[in-house]
């Protein structure tokens, strides 16, 4: 889980800071205007905070063997998906 979390954070950083919109599937940004691409990549990159939940889950589960790690994962997963949905709706006109 820690590796998956680090990969998610790395990809989010590349999308956000390097504005690599091509890391997102092309139909997700097909209707994003040129002037909104910077803001869109910023929001989509920040939405990759899902990786933080994966890392916390891996660490907490390794240390304590209790289900608190799953709770962290679910919280960050829902938070990240909501952020992605809102960015898609605003800049691409919808999820599909």
């Amino acid at each position: 889980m820690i590796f998956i979390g680090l990969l998610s954070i790395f990809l989010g950083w590349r999308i956000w800071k390097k504005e690599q919109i091509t890391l997102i599937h092309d139909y997700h940004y097909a209707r994003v205007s040129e002037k909104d691409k910077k803001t869109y990549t910023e929001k989509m990159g920040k939405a990759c905070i899902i990786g933080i939940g994966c890392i916390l889950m891996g660490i907490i589960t390794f240390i304590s063997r209790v289900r608190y790690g799953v709770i962290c994962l679910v919280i960050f997963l829902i938070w990240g998906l909501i952020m992605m949905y809102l960015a898609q709706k605003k800049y691409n006109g919808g999820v599909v």
Side-chain angles (χ1 to χ4, degrees):
M1 287 306 289
I2 293 173
F3 174 74
I4 292 170
L6 290 172
L7 181 64
S8 176
I9 290 172
F10 175 73
L11 291 174
W13 177 77
R14 298 287 299 193
I15 293 168
W16 174 21
K17 291 295 186 180
K18 301 291 184 177
E19 296 178 16
Q20 283 190 302
I21 199 166
T22 56
L23 292 174
I24 305 168
H25 200 282
D26 59 348
Y27 66 81
H28 287 301
Y29 63 87
R31 291 177 273 173
V32 177
S33 67
E34 281 298 319
K35 69 179 181 95
D36 290 333
K37 283 191 178 179
K38 180 175 177 69
T39 310
Y40 176 75
T41 55
E42 177 184 347
K43 290 182 187 257
M44 290 299 280
K46 286 179 180 180
C48 289
I49 61 166
I50 296 168
I52 295 171
C54 292
I55 292 170
L56 288 175
M57 179 184 173
I59 293 170
I60 292 170
T61 303
F62 180 74
I63 292 172
S64 65
R65 304 276 182 220
V66 293
R67 299 286 180 202
Y68 295 129
V70 175
I71 294 169
C72 287
L73 176 65
V74 169
I75 290 169
F76 279 94
L77 180 69
I78 291 171
W79 187 9
L81 290 175
I82 289 171
M83 289 172 65
M84 285 181 188
Y85 173 77
L86 293 174
Q88 280 296 110
K89 186 176 178 185
K90 182 174 183 177
Y91 296 105
N92 198 38
V95 178
V96 180

